[in-house]
C-alpha cells in the first residue's frame, strides 16, 4: 500500500511552524501526525497529496514538492505501507481551516517544539526541515513563504529564523543581491520612521541558483 | 506494488555515462532500462535498491541516494506500480560485471545519447541528471565519482563535463577553494612536464556547502 503525507510549513507569529492533525483512529489514535492518507487506485501521487492537504486544511493551492519516500516495513504495525512524503509551503497560515471529520482537530506547532508524532513522522519532520534549510541556501524557495512584497529586513529575518543560526548581515546582503533573487520595487512602505524599500522575488516559481 | 530503479552514473572514457540493462521479458521486452525490480515483503527500500544493483552489476558498494518516486498510474501497463528511483555513483566503472540472467545484457551509455527507454525511465534519467548537476554545485558529491587522489585539472574537467557548460576557470577555482571541499596533499604526481599538485576531498561522505 502506498500513502502520501504532507509537511506543511508557514511563518506564524514570527516562528516557523508546521501544521499537525490529531488522529481519531488507528494504532496511533490520539497522536499528532502530518495530514495524509492512502493513494487511490489510478491516482497520481501529487494529486493524492493535494487531495489530502485540501481535506485536512481546506487549502486549494500551495507550493508542493515531493520530499522522500519512507518504506521501513515496521513504520506501520498494520501493514507494509510505503509513504511518499511531501513538503508544502504557504505564505498565509490564516487560510488554513478546520480539518475534515477524519481528524479530531488541527493545530500549528513550532518546528522545534513538536508533540510526540505518530508512526515515523518525527523522521519526516526532520527530513523536511533539512530540505527546507538547504533549498533556502541555493534556490528562491522563500518566495512561497513570504507575501508578494516585503522589506529586506523581513527577508533576512525569514532566513535567520529557518536556518536557525546568526547570519553575517553584510555578507548575507551582498550574496543575496549577487544571486539575483530579488527585484527592488519602485514604491516604498510608509511607516513611523523613514519609508522602507520594498522587494519582490524576481521569479514566483522554483529556481536554482547557479553557484559555480 | 512498489519497485525500485537505480540510475547508476560513472565517468568512463572521459564522458558521463549511465548503465542500462536490456529487458528480457515484460511489456517493454527488448528495451533498455535502469536496473530495478519489486521491493520484497518486509524489505527496506534502500536494501531493495542495493540488492537489485548487485544483481545487475555485481557492485557490492556504491554511493546511493533516493531520488524521487514515480507513481503515474499509466507508467506500467500491467499494474499500478509505484517506483522509488535511486541514483548510484561509482568512481570505477570497470568494477561493473555482467548482469544476472534476468537481463539480456548491460551496457554504459553516454547520458546525452540514451537509446529509447522502457516505461518512464527517460523521465528518471532526466531527473537524475538534474539532481546530480545541482548537487555538484552545493555539495561535495563529486567525491563519489573521482578516485581518492586527483589533480585540480581533473576535478575541473569533471564539473565541466557534468554541468555541460563552460566554467570561468579563475572564478571556479576561487569558489571551490573558498568552499573548503578539497585538501592539498603533501605529494605530487610526476609526469612528462612539471609535477602536478594532488588533491583529495576533505570529507568522503555527503556534505552540504553553506552558502549564506
Amino acid at each position: 500500500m502506498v500513502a502520501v503525507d504532507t509537511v506543511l510549513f508557514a511563518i506564524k507569529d514570527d516562528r516557523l511552524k508546521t501544521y499537525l492533525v490529531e488522529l481519531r483512529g488507528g494504532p496511533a489514535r490520539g497522536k499528532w501526525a502530518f495530514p495524509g492518507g492512502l493513494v487511490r487506485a489510478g491516482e497520481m501521487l501529487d494529486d493524492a497529496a493535494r487531495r489530502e492537504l485540501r481535506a485536512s486544511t481546506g487549502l486549494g493551492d500551495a507550493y508542493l514538492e515531493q520530499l522522500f519516500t519512507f518504506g521501513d516495513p515496521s513504520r506501520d504495525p498494520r501493514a507494509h505501507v510505503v509513504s511518499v512524503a511531501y513538503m508544502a509551503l504557504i505564505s498565509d497560515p490564516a487560510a488554513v481551516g478546520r480539518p475534515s471529520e477524519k481528524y479530531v482537530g488541527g493545530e500549528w506547532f513550532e518546528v522545534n517544539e513538536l508533540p510526540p508524532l505518530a508512526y515515523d513522522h518525527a523522521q519526516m519532520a526532520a527530513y523536511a526541515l533539512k530540505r527546507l534549510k538547504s533549498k533556502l541556501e541555493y534556490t528562491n524557495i522563500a518566495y512561497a513563504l513570504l507575501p508578494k512584497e516585503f522589506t529586506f529586513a523581513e527577508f533576512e529575518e525569514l532566513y535567520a529564523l529557518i536556518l536557525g543560526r546568526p547570519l553575517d548581515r553584510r555578507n548575507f546582503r551582498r550574496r543575496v543581491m549577487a544571486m539575483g533573487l530579488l527585484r527592488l520595487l519602485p514604491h516604498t512602505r510608509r511607516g513611523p520612521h523613514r519609508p522602507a524599500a520594498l522587494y519582490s522575488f524576481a521569479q514566483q516559481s522554483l529556481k536554482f541558483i547557479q553557484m559555480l
Side-chain angles (χ1 to χ4, degrees), chain A residues 100-169:
Chain A
S100 71
E101 286 302 305
K102 183 175 161 188
Y103 303 112
V104 179
E107 215 173 291
W108 290 95
F109 288 85
E110 207 173 318
V111 291
N112 296 319
E113 295 170 9
L114 299 181
L117 297 179
Y119 312 117
D120 53 0
H121 287 204
Q123 260 179 278
M124 279 181 198
Y127 192 94
L129 189 57
K130 198 177 141 199
R131 173 78 67 95
L132 180 60
K133 283 182 182 181
S134 58
K135 280 222 157 156
L136 213 58
E137 297 221 35
Y138 59 86
T139 77
N140 66 344
I141 200 167
Y143 84 86
L145 289 166
L146 279 167
K148 285 275 178 292
E149 303 185 350
F150 45 84
T151 65
F152 196 85
E154 289 164 348
F155 176 83
E156 190 176 350
E157 267 164 44
L158 177 90
Y159 272 70
L161 197 64
I162 298 176
L163 294 179
R165 57 180 165 82
L167 295 166
D168 176 317
R169 294 193 72 151

Side-chain angles (χ1 to χ4, degrees), chain A residues 7 11 17 45 59 91 98 168 206 208:
Chain A
V7 182
I11 306 295
K17 296 195 176 183
L45 298 173
L59 290 171
S91 59
R98 269 195 64 79
D168 176 317
L206 193 70
F208 285 76

Side-chain angles (χ1 to χ4, degrees), chain A residues 49-68:
Chain A
R50 287 190 192 281
R51 175 177 53 71
E52 291 287 350
L53 189 64
R54 188 185 302 241
S56 54
T57 63
L59 290 171
D61 193 35
Y63 172 89
L64 193 71
E65 163 179 329
Q66 196 194 101
L67 271 185
F68 194 81

